Amino acid sequence: MTSISSASRSTVIKDGLNAGWPICLGYLPIGMAFGVLAQKAGLSAIQIGLMSILVFAGSAQFIAVAMLAAGASAPAIITTTFVVNLRHVLMSSALAVYLRAAHRGVLALFAYGVTDESFAVNLPRFHAHTWNLPRAMVVNHAANLVWFFSTVTGGIGGRFIPEGALGIDYALIAMFICLLVFQLRKRIHLLTALIAGLSAVGLALVIPGNSYIVIASIIAATTGVIIQRSRPGSNPKNG
């Protein structure tokens, strides 16, 4: 019986790692780049590691570090990262359809590890009925482990890298450009992005601090929804 259980666990771990290795491979350079940027912003390796464990959201961590470096206030950082991470509610809701029978404690542990990348890997497999919670859990937490070690490694190695060397200072901008490009699937998305960019630039000229980021995000999101709903034949359920 024990050997059967061990074999089953081994298969689950193997299946999860086979599905999740591309995520882990992608997290290595981005995590190290984040660690270097965080170290340059004044965070210690321990603080970087704790942030990666407690937050575990790449875009939110990049934003938080950038705002810390710019001297933003805690409420501005918390509000901005909260808004950025609201998409996790939608992703978790989509996955919850396939996990109704799971224990709430296990679901909480699973939800903690949901990211854009793990969501993209797990959802199609759940939909095809070839996946289950243990395998999805392996995907989520293997990615989490790689993210933790890569960010801490970047934080430790960052002290040996001169300011601005190797284009590290461009990593944050490159990360956000990639995140934006992957979200531009319709014209309305492109229009909303342009409104957000123009609003942020305009507001930055008249509003001190970093609150213009939150205001520009709200303006762009609200305008995008209004335009989308005003189009003939639009269906709110389809976004």
Side-chain angles (χ1 to χ4, degrees), residues 23-193:
I23 301 175
C24 299
L25 193 62
Y27 277 4
L28 279 173
I30 296 176
M32 292 182 69
F34 168 76
V36 172
L37 288 172
Q39 194 275 333
K40 299 300 180 191
L43 272 64
S44 67
I46 294 176
Q47 290 171 326
I48 293 169
L50 285 173
M51 190 179 190
S52 293
I53 291 174
L54 297 174
V55 180
F56 186 40
S59 54
Q61 288 181 239
F62 271 101
I63 289 172
V65 164
M67 294 181 74
L68 280 172
S73 64
I77 296 173
I78 293 170
T79 304
T80 303
T81 52
F82 175 76
V83 171
V84 168
N85 281 335
L86 274 178
R87 68 190 189 285
H88 287 250
V89 175
L90 298 176
M91 292 191 289
S92 298
S93 300
L95 291 168
V97 174
Y98 304 98
L99 303 171
R100 290 173 178 165
H103 186 274
R104 289 187 177 180
V106 178
L107 274 181
L109 185 61
F110 172 74
Y112 158 76
V114 173
T115 63
D116 303 70
E117 297 78 14
S118 65
F119 174 77
V121 167
N122 287 324
L123 185 64
R125 289 170 170 79
F126 275 122
H127 185 66
H129 302 290
T130 59
W131 212 233
N132 58 22
L133 180 57
R135 286 174 171 81
M137 192 85 83
V138 172
V139 172
N140 287 12
H141 293 287
N144 186 359
L145 195 63
V146 171
W147 177 255
F148 169 78
F149 280 109
S150 60
T151 56
V152 172
T153 301
I156 294 172
R159 70 185 67 178
F160 305 109
I161 300 175
E163 192 80 31
L166 306 175
I168 291 295
D169 54 338
Y170 185 68
L172 176 63
I173 300 170
M175 170 79 177
F176 286 127
I177 291 175
C178 287
L179 289 173
L180 175 63
V181 168
F182 284 124
Q183 299 299 320
L184 299 178
R185 296 168 185 164
K186 298 179 180 178
R187 288 183 181 177
I188 187 64
H189 299 159
L190 177 60
L191 179 61
T192 305

